[in-house]
């Protein structure tokens, strides 16, 4: 993996530490929960003493966080122009964050006797959203720690080749579990015949050969994949003009197991010639 710098931002309770740990697992030297005022000096010191990529999580506690973060990132890019610097930002719904704080009985770092948990979450999120317009955003409201680690590792690996191409994230999901909150484009694979009702296929997934063979034999399948791929290819210039760091394409079916997984994999194959592609399955992630 090419040497790079990844800054990790995250609303408290959303999974920032899990994301940073995923970077450490793939060989990054990491620093956790760094005050933003120390960002430039810390990165300089680490680059002087380490030969691997750097992963740094930055907290937003300072009232001047927005200005300090923007200045720090600009300074690092000026001092180290050859190193890619990218940002991952982790968030979750208010309901999810409130439940997690209730379960862990921890105090939110922005909370006080005069500040409710809801207000503390809103203030921290406001600061984090005011920076890094091109951040790779991940919503963990319906995401397991395993899947979060997988998505972060894939993002880290995507810097190594064809950096000039747009970055697409293609996922499968189950409609009964809700649409992924951070999806940019959502397509419905429930219009395809369902392998679940075919003998011997219910327990398999869209990655298994019998399911693949069954769906390939349906004329509707190729038509759906071709239509989605054509639309995405035609939309890429517009997304690039809008300065999107990545486009998350979510493919749904009833259980997120057969049709959506197959279509997502077929789209990956169809779009790899024009984009860098990350693939994951929300309900049935691949083992680590």
């Amino acid at each position: 993996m090419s040497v790079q710098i990844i800054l990790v931002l995250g609303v408290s309770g959303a999974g920032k530490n899990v994301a940073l740990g995923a970077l450490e697992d793939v060989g990054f030297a990491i620093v956790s929960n760094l005050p933003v005022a120390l960002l430039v000096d810390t990165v300089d010191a680490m680059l002087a003493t380490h030969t691997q990529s750097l992963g740094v999580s930055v907290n937003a506690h300072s009232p001047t966080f927005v200005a300090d973060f923007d200045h720090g990132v600009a300074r690092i890019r000026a001092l180290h122009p050859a190193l890619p610097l990218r940002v991952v930002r982790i968030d979750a719904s208010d309901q999810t964050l409130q439940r997690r704080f209730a379960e862990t009985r921890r105090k939110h770092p922005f909370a006080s006797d005069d500040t409710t948990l809801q207000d503390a979450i809103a203030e921290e999120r406001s600061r984090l959203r005011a920076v890094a317009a091109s951040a790779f955003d991940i919503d963990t409201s319906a995401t397991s720690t395993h899947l979060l680690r997988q998505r972060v590792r894939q993002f880290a690996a995507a810097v190594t080749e064809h950096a000039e191409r747009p970055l697409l994230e293609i996922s499968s999901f189950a409609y009964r579990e809700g649409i992924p909150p951070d999806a940019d484009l959502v397509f419905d694979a429930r219009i395809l015949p369902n392998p679940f009702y075919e003998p011997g296929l219910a327990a398999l997934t869209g990655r298994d050969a019998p399911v693949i063979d069954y769906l390939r034999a349906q004329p509707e399948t190729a038509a759906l994949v071709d239509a989605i791929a054509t639309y995405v290819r035609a939309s890429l210039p517009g997304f690039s003009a809008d300065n999107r760091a990545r486009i998350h394409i979510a493919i749904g079916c009833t259980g997120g197991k057969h049709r959506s997984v197959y279509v997502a994999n077929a789209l990956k194959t169809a779009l790899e010639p024009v984009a860098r592609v990350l693939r994951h399955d929300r309900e049935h992630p691949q083992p680590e």
Side-chain angles (χ1 to χ4, degrees), residues 42-96:
T42 300
V43 168
D44 281 347
M46 293 185 72
L47 290 175
T49 57
H50 294 75
T51 58
Q52 70 258 58
S53 295
L54 307 182
V56 181
S57 70
V58 181
N59 68 58
H61 298 173
S62 169
T64 60
F65 167 77
V66 174
D68 291 344
F69 183 87
D70 289 343
H71 171 77
V73 168
R75 183 66 178 152
I76 292 169
R77 284 179 168 148
L79 292 171
H80 309 283
L83 284 183
L85 187 156
R86 300 185 295 161
V87 180
V88 171
R89 181 167 45 213
I90 316 297
D91 201 350
S93 68
D94 286 356
Q95 182 179 12
T96 299

Side-chain angles (χ1 to χ4, degrees), residues 3 10 12 31 52 59 67 79 129 134 137 155 245 249 254 274 283:
V3 175
S12 300
V31 176
Q52 70 258 58
N59 68 58
L79 292 171
R129 287 184 175 177
S134 61
D137 287 304
F155 172 72
I249 304 166
T254 305
V274 297
E283 266 63 66

Side-chain angles (χ1 to χ4, degrees), residues 176 192-206 210-211 214-215 253-260 284:
R176 65 189 180 197
L192 302 180
N194 195 346
F196 180 85
Y197 298 107
E198 296 299 316
L201 300 186
L204 303 179
T205 77
V211 175
Y214 171 80
L215 287 171
C253 65
T254 305
K257 184 177 181 179
H258 297 106
R259 293 166 290 180
S260 60
H284 299 275

Side-chain angles (χ1 to χ4, degrees), residues 5 37 123 143 164 194 205 207 212 254 259 268 274:
I5 303 168
E123 175 60 25
T143 296
E164 75 285 354
N194 195 346
T205 77
R207 295 181 181 274
I212 292 172
T254 305
R259 293 166 290 180
K268 178 178 185 291
V274 297

Side-chain angles (χ1 to χ4, degrees), residues 111-136:
S112 67
D113 293 343
D114 302 320
T115 306
T116 66
L117 174 58
Q118 184 173 356
D119 289 341
I121 292 170
E123 175 60 25
E124 186 177 29
R125 179 182 289 123
S126 175
R127 295 182 187 180
L128 293 173
R129 287 184 175 177
V131 300
S134 61
F136 182 82

Side-chain angles (χ1 to χ4, degrees), residues 136 151 167-171 246-250 278 280:
F136 182 82
R151 293 177 72 179
L167 181 63
L168 302 181
E169 186 175 15
I170 303 176
S171 69
R246 69 90 153 87
I247 302 101
H248 181 184
I249 304 166
L278 314 182
H280 67 84

Side-chain angles (χ1 to χ4, degrees), residues 95-174:
Q95 182 179 12
T96 299
L97 295 172
Q98 290 169 2
R99 187 190 74 244
R100 289 173 182 172
F101 274 100
E103 290 172 348
T104 61
R105 300 182 180 180
R106 293 187 60 205
K107 179 182 176 182
H108 190 285
F110 282 42
S112 67
D113 293 343
D114 302 320
T115 306
T116 66
L117 174 58
Q118 184 173 356
D119 289 341
I121 292 170
E123 175 60 25
E124 186 177 29
R125 179 182 289 123
S126 175
R127 295 182 187 180
L128 293 173
R129 287 184 175 177
V131 300
S134 61
F136 182 82
D137 287 304
I138 300 177
D139 188 299
T140 65
S141 302
T143 296
S144 66
T145 55
H146 166 69
L147 183 54
L148 174 57
R149 288 194 297 268
Q150 186 179 91
R151 293 177 72 179
V152 171
R153 288 197 302 266
Q154 289 181 350
F155 172 72
V159 77
T160 58
E161 57 180 332
H162 303 303
E164 75 285 354
R165 293 182 180 178
L167 181 63
L168 302 181
E169 186 175 15
I170 303 176
S171 69
S172 70
F173 72 93

